[in-house]
Amino acid sequence: MSAVLSAAVPSAVKNAAVNAETSREASLHIRPFEGPLGAEVIGLDLAQPLSRKALLQLHAAHLEHHVLVFRDQRITPQQQVNFSRLFGPLQIHVLRNFQLAGHPEVLVVSNIVEDGKPVGLGDAGHFWHSDLSYKERPSLGSMLHAQELPAKGGDTLFANMHLAYDTLPEAVKREIRYARAEHSYLKQYAELQRRSPWRPNLTQAQIDEVKPVVHPVVRTHPETGRQALFVSEHFTTRIVGIPEDASDALLKELFAHSVKPAHVCRHEWRPHDMVFWDNRSLMHLAAGCPADQRRKLYRTTIEGDVPY
């Protein structure tokens, strides 16, 4: 596996401005979780300079495990932005009113209301999805850094879309092999507005920014070559070129199959966790928490490739 991953290092990682090898990274260790995905990164302080060796090790681990958890990271928003940029250019979310002041690359994900206004996007992740799949160049990955956590709830679920594809019946694989699907940011927007008083109306400029796009139902990971399902209940509206009822039935089947327990793991947040996941390999879902429990996290999103 390591030989394949080292050969697939993208230019963003190859050309990242990082330091020479340092002794403090000698203890860097990747501990895989039990289950279908995920690993913990041990022995790395993201507030400190990162060596090229460590960056390549993180990149390989990210491709292999799809989710990396960095514990107890006492970093600033700018340090999160800088670390995120080592993997590629960052994408700015269309809801700019939830940007962190002074850091437009950081989306505030929070249920906190202060002075009668939400401090962040409170219902992010309500439906299963891959971040920014509604863009021509969807996200490579996202990083989420815990600022305030509830005493109860607030977990994040991840579904391995490689496993979801691998375990499909062969007849379904044949049916979707060359299928393409439309993704739209607006698919669930009215429903989210119905559930939350804080979801803003979109301007025409914002609507124009998130016009529907069409992607393969089965995408090939650009670095590992693995195939994965690339549809979600949040953003996928239809299978192109087939009747509406057939499209709805097929998508319903794929959505249900994707999130079977054997494909899913749950991340229980700890203070100052930083979680970095691969949107080309996974979907995720916010499990929710009681309304009276404060929750705030900072998200950065890395631009990916045009799916194929």
Side-chain angles (χ1 to χ4, degrees):
M1 186 69 166
S2 59
V4 174
L5 298 183
S6 62
V9 177
S11 58
V13 175
K14 285 181 180 177
N15 300 327
V18 292
N19 284 8
E21 182 64 24
T22 57
S23 60
R24 67 172 155 266
E25 290 172 347
S27 61
L28 176 59
H29 175 64
I30 307 297
R31 184 180 68 82
F33 297 140
E34 293 184 4
L37 58 100
E40 182 176 354
V41 179
I42 299 170
L44 188 65
D45 180 359
L46 296 179
Q48 301 299 323
L50 190 67
S51 75
R52 187 168 302 279
K53 178 180 177 181
L55 179 60
L56 293 175
Q57 188 175 354
L58 291 178
H59 176 245
H62 191 242
L63 294 180
E64 182 174 358
H65 302 292
H66 317 309
V67 174
L68 297 181
V69 178
F70 305 81
R71 301 291 190 188
D72 197 29
Q73 296 297 319
R74 310 298 178 109
I75 60 174
T76 67
Q78 188 59 54
Q79 287 170 324
Q80 179 177 346
V81 168
N82 293 344
F83 178 60
S84 302
R85 280 185 175 147
L86 295 177
F87 297 88
L90 302 189
Q91 294 172 300
I92 307 299
H93 197 278
V94 67
L95 295 180
R96 291 175 176 80
N97 47 318
F98 296 129
Q99 292 174 349
L100 182 64
H103 298 280
E105 310 92 342
V106 177
L107 175 71
V108 180
V109 176
S110 180
N111 65 351
I112 300 170
V113 177
E114 294 179 346
D115 299 325
K117 295 181 179 180
V119 304
L121 184 60
D123 56 3
H126 185 85
F127 298 100
W128 282 103
H129 68 288
S130 172
D131 285 334
L132 277 65
S133 74
Y134 51 84
K135 303 288 283 185
E136 184 178 351
R137 297 173 67 92
S139 166
L140 176 156
S142 299
M143 297 192 188
L144 200 58
H145 187 216
Q147 306 296 312
E148 292 187 58
L149 295 175
K152 183 179 181 181
D155 298 346
T156 302
L157 280 65
F158 295 96
N160 187 328
M161 299 298 276
H162 295 301
L163 282 180
Y165 174 76
D166 291 344
T167 55
L168 280 172
E170 289 301 319
V172 178
K173 286 184 179 180
R174 288 193 296 271
E175 184 178 5
I176 65 175
R177 181 172 299 161
Y178 303 110
R180 296 175 65 81
E182 181 186 76
H183 295 241
S184 172
Y185 180 67
L186 301 182
K187 179 187 177 185
Q188 302 283 10
Y189 203 84
E191 175 61 19
L192 291 170
Q193 283 190 309
R194 187 186 69 79
R195 299 184 186 196
S196 168
W198 306 117
R199 271 269 169 176
N201 291 324
L202 297 175
T203 66
Q204 186 59 51
Q206 287 174 308
I207 293 172
D208 292 342
E209 186 178 329
V210 290
K211 291 180 180 178
V213 296
V214 174
H215 294 309
V217 171
V218 181
R219 74 173 297 179
T220 301
H221 196 290
E223 297 185 67
T224 67
R226 292 190 66 186
Q227 292 185 304
L229 282 179
F230 195 59
V231 293
S232 75
E233 64 176 353
H234 195 160
F235 299 130
T236 307
T237 57
R238 63 188 175 94
I239 305 292
V240 176
I242 66 175
E244 182 178 354
D245 57 348
S247 170
D248 291 345
L250 180 54
L251 286 176
K252 183 178 180 180
E253 179 182 0
L254 295 177
F255 296 159
H257 177 80
S258 297
V259 297
K260 286 182 176 179
H263 305 152
V264 174
C265 79
R266 176 183 292 264
H267 177 65
E268 298 179 355
W269 289 86
R270 300 180 191 174
H272 308 290
D273 273 358
M274 167 82 94
V275 178
F276 176 26
W277 66 87
D278 192 332
N279 282 302
R280 303 163 298 184
S281 299
L282 305 176
M283 289 196 300
H284 61 282
L285 175 76
C289 67
D292 62 348
Q293 299 279 314
R294 290 170 64 97
R295 183 175 186 264
K296 182 169 70 172
L297 307 98
Y298 291 163
R299 193 186 90 179
T300 44
T301 308
I302 304 155
E303 184 178 74
D305 304 289
V306 177
Y308 64 91

